[in-house]
Every structure is written in C-alpha cells, then in structure tokens.
Amino acid sequence: GAVVSQHPSRVICKSGTSVKIECRSLDFQATTMFWYRQFPKQSLMLMATSNEGSKATYEQGVEKDKFLINHASLTLSTLTVTSAHPEDSSFYICSASPREGLNNEQFFGPGTRLTVL
Amino acid sequence: AQSVTQLGSHVSVSEGALVLLRCNYSSSVPPYLFWYVQYPNQGLQLLLKYTTGATLVKGINGFEAEFKKSETSFHLTKPSAHMSDAAEYFCAVSDGGAGNMLTFGGGTRLMVKP
C-alpha cells in the first residue's frame, strides 16, 4: 500500500512551452502533497506544499506564477511549469501524506525528469 | 526550525564491510527521523523511521539506525555491504506537524567496491 505515481516519468520540451506533471496517490487519500526539485548530485529542495482544495504554500524563492500547483482532489496534485527555460531542467519529485493512518510519513513518487531545450 | 547534517557527502566501503552513514539533527521538539535511499533516476524509498519507543530501529535490506537523543544523532548502519547498496542516502527529520513536512540532509553517496 501507500503508492504514489508520477506522470510523465520523462519529458523533453522546447523553451517557452508549459509542462504539466501529475502526482497521484493510488491507494490512499492524501491531505497534503509536496513538490520537490532535485538538481544533479544534490538533495531535495522543497518547492511547495499543497493541501486539497486550498492554495499551495510556496517556499521562499520559488515563483508561484511559474510553478503552478493544483491539488484538485485527495488523490491528485499537478505541477505546471509555465514558460519553461533550460534552467528549469531538473528532477521533480512529489510526495503525499496520508489523510489517516501512517500519519508520520510521506510517500514519494518515482520522479519526473524534465529537460528543456 | 529543524536541520539535518550528514557528515560525508561520499562514503566508500568494500563489499562485506561495515556501512556507517552519519546523521545529526537539530529540532526544538521531539523529532521523527527517517532514512531514505535513492537509486539513480528514481524517487525515494523509505529504509526506516524512528517515531517513538525503541531507539534502535531496524529497516529493510539489513539496515538499522539508533536514535541517540544526547548526541542528536541517527546514524545508519549495515553490518555487511552489498554491491546493490550503492546509492544515495538521505536522512530527514520531521516534527510530526501538519502534513509531516520533512527537512532533508544533503545526502551521502555510498559506493561499494568489489
């Protein structure tokens, strides 16, 4: 149990286009989902925290107009990178925190590799 | 505020040798502590966690960690390294608050030599 999926696993896009990444909790309801960014050989950097039905909370230095987060249901959160540029190329990882039970843990998706040309 | 320090960004051991990955934390409240492993181009997999109770925690793949409050440490060990243990390891701390927000250490890359 407690599986989180991400789609797509890899995406290559042209500079200036927008890319949407989906994060789904497959077998539990998630009150909170997190979006992380990871540069090569570095740790995870928290970008934002989203709660179902409310606006995401962005970490300092993360542009909310560039990284749009929608947590429309208890099993789905999306991250849209708008007007992507090469510097946005990174590994994006989501995680989800269950609504009930297992309430000390986040469950991580497999990540999405974004390459902007 | 919480923070996590992983001493040694790279650790190299021989196959069959002891693995010791160090993690120190700071937290103003009793912490929840986690170790995750990440293989290339993959997400994070939970190895083990400490919440309350027994301070020696056993995880998957033969790993264990001991919570030492007096030393604010949560070091990860494995008696005998296997080639498949080569990966990136992250220590993380949570205050157990809303959403269980995690603060990660910088990570330690474990290399296993044949």
Side-chain angles (χ1 to χ4, degrees), chain A residues 56-111:
Chain A
T57 301
Y58 291 81
E59 295 299 301
Q60 191 172 9
V62 178
E63 299 176 60
K64 61 181 181 181
D65 294 331
K66 181 168 187 62
F67 298 100
L68 301 179
I69 292 172
N70 187 340
H71 194 159
S73 76
L74 284 171
T75 60
L76 174 64
S77 176
T78 59
L79 167 67
T80 301
V81 183
T82 62
S83 186
H85 288 92
E87 58 266 29
D88 299 323
S89 298
S90 190
F91 194 53
Y92 292 87
I93 302 175
C94 74
S95 69
S97 187
R99 183 178 189 180
E100 53 190 40
L102 303 171
N103 60 1
N104 296 320
E105 196 172 331
Q106 292 181 25
F107 297 91
F108 287 82

Side-chain angles (χ1 to χ4, degrees), chain A:
Chain A
V3 178
V4 176
S5 70
Q6 278 184 246
H7 179 78
S9 57
R10 291 178 177 272
V11 56
I12 301 173
C13 68
K14 293 182 178 180
S15 185
T17 61
S18 294
V19 174
K20 180 185 284 188
I21 303 170
E22 292 186 348
C23 177
R24 294 182 184 272
S25 55
L26 298 185
D27 50 5
F28 66 97
Q29 292 185 324
T31 47
T32 306
M33 287 185 168
F34 302 86
W35 286 97
Y36 297 87
R37 183 174 183 177
Q38 186 180 32
F39 291 107
K41 302 186 188 303
Q42 294 188 27
S43 188
L44 281 71
M45 182 191 79
L46 180 65
M47 299 176 66
T49 304
S50 72
N51 292 290
E52 184 263 341
S54 61
K55 289 184 178 181
T57 301
Y58 291 81
E59 295 299 301
Q60 191 172 9
V62 178
E63 299 176 60
K64 61 181 181 181
D65 294 331
K66 181 168 187 62
F67 298 100
L68 301 179
I69 292 172
N70 187 340
H71 194 159
S73 76
L74 284 171
T75 60
L76 174 64
S77 176
T78 59
L79 167 67
T80 301
V81 183
T82 62
S83 186
H85 288 92
E87 58 266 29
D88 299 323
S89 298
S90 190
F91 194 53
Y92 292 87
I93 302 175
C94 74
S95 69
S97 187
R99 183 178 189 180
E100 53 190 40
L102 303 171
N103 60 1
N104 296 320
E105 196 172 331
Q106 292 181 25
F107 297 91
F108 287 82
T112 296
R113 173 75 59 192
L114 170 63
T115 303
V116 185
L117 302 177

Side-chain angles (χ1 to χ4, degrees), chain B residues 35-39 43-47 61 85 87-90:
Chain B
W35 274 100
Y36 291 90
V37 61
Q38 184 181 34
Y39 296 99
L44 272 66
Q45 180 182 8
L46 180 69
L47 280 176
N61 301 339
D85 294 327
E88 188 84 20
Y89 291 81
F90 293 98

Side-chain angles (χ1 to χ4, degrees), chain B residues 9-86:
Chain B
S9 59
H10 292 79
V11 170
S12 181
V13 301
S14 297
E15 191 173 20
L18 171 71
V19 175
L20 171 61
L21 304 183
R22 299 178 185 274
C23 173
N24 288 89
Y25 70 91
S26 69
S27 177
S28 58
V29 298
Y32 297 134
L33 296 159
F34 305 82
W35 274 100
Y36 291 90
V37 61
Q38 184 181 34
Y39 296 99
N41 295 308
Q42 294 187 27
L44 272 66
Q45 180 182 8
L46 180 69
L47 280 176
L48 49 80
K49 66 179 179 180
Y50 168 80
T51 54
T52 59
T55 57
L56 181 62
V57 181
K58 294 185 184 299
I60 62 172
N61 301 339
F63 284 95
E64 62 182 37
E66 186 171 11
F67 169 57
K68 292 187 176 181
K69 184 178 179 180
S70 61
E71 298 177 9
T72 60
S73 69
F74 191 57
H75 301 330
L76 181 70
T77 60
K78 182 174 180 177
S80 177
H82 192 274
M83 295 297 290
S84 60
D85 294 327

